[in-house]
Amino acid sequence: MLIAGVDEVGRGPLAGAVVAAAVILDPNRPIAGLNDSKKLTAKRREQLAFEIREKALAWSLGRAEVEEIDAINILQATFLAMQRALEGLAVQPDLVKIDGNRCPPSAYKMEAIVGGDATVAEISAASIIAKVARDAELVALDAVYPQYGFAKHKGYGTAVHLAALREFGATPIHRRSFAPIRDILAAVVST
């Protein structure tokens, strides 16, 4: 039975896309050290991401852009990114295991597993691939918008990020439907 693990990264940040990954591991080429991407160092995630891409039977990334997040909400955008990741797989799975408590609409047989990114190898692999990809995007965006510190906080609502938003305003990569961005934009309009 071919199992695809699916996970996303970037639901909570105030900026950037939400990125999902789908991974079907090769049982004949095991990968040691898979875990929830948040429990690994950046260096270890990079090493594992390379190994996953080399050894997996199939892997794919899907994303939902800021405009989609603002238009349909973060949960629906997350489901859209997951669907896109699954559609991109070169091999079709028999079962899809999703990290979390809800599955996106799909023709695939699916199972939601809370904490699956730490307990199911396929989901761990997806979590790592997605995080490495999104983190790289935010580091690249840091070069475009250096005053916001994206390379450090990856778009999350840290004190440094919120201070930069108050000083410089929102960029096109900020999620206008998220309360901190809405509030900052409203404050700018009212002054």
Side-chain angles (χ1 to χ4, degrees):
M1 174 181 277
L2 292 179
I3 297 170
V6 177
D7 199 6
E8 55 67 35
V9 66
R11 279 181 72 162
L14 306 178
V18 61
V19 177
V23 177
I24 300 174
L25 294 174
D26 184 344
N28 297 315
R29 300 180 78 195
I31 300 169
L34 293 174
N35 200 345
D36 174 359
S37 64
K38 296 179 292 296
K39 295 179 180 175
L40 301 167
T41 65
K43 181 178 179 182
R44 186 66 181 131
R45 279 193 302 268
E46 291 280 347
Q47 293 166 340
L48 284 167
F50 178 81
E51 190 174 357
I52 293 161
R53 290 189 296 263
E54 289 290 310
K55 291 183 175 179
L57 291 175
W59 65 272
S60 175
L61 292 171
R63 54 190 297 115
E65 302 299 339
V66 170
E67 298 79 14
E68 293 171 310
I69 293 167
D70 287 341
I72 62 176
N73 81 42
I74 189 60
L75 176 63
Q76 296 308 314
T78 298
F79 286 166
L80 183 59
M82 289 177 169
Q83 291 165 338
R84 288 172 174 165
L86 285 166
E87 289 167 5
L89 288 172
V91 176
Q92 298 304 300
D94 301 305
L95 174 65
V96 176
K97 294 186 178 186
I98 305 278
D99 182 52
N101 61 1
R102 296 170 74 176
C103 295
S106 177
Y108 291 111
K109 181 179 177 191
M110 295 194 154
E111 180 181 343
I113 302 169
V114 175
D117 52 359
T119 60
V120 177
E122 292 84 358
I123 298 175
S124 297
S127 129
I128 292 164
I129 293 282
K131 180 144 182 60
V132 167
R134 188 176 190 284
D135 283 359
E137 289 178 19
L138 272 291
V139 168
L141 287 168
D142 187 73
V144 178
Y145 305 105
Q147 65 272 37
Y148 293 88
F150 291 125
K152 288 196 171 96
H153 57 66
K154 308 302 188 280
Y156 284 89
T158 64
V160 168
H161 190 184
L162 293 172
L165 279 163
R166 285 189 291 276
E167 183 174 351
F168 303 110
T171 70
I173 64 158
H174 280 99
R175 301 172 181 178
R176 282 155 170 69
S177 61
F178 279 41
I181 306 299
R182 264 197 331 261
D183 295 347
I184 286 166
L185 291 173
V188 169
V189 170
S190 66
T191 57

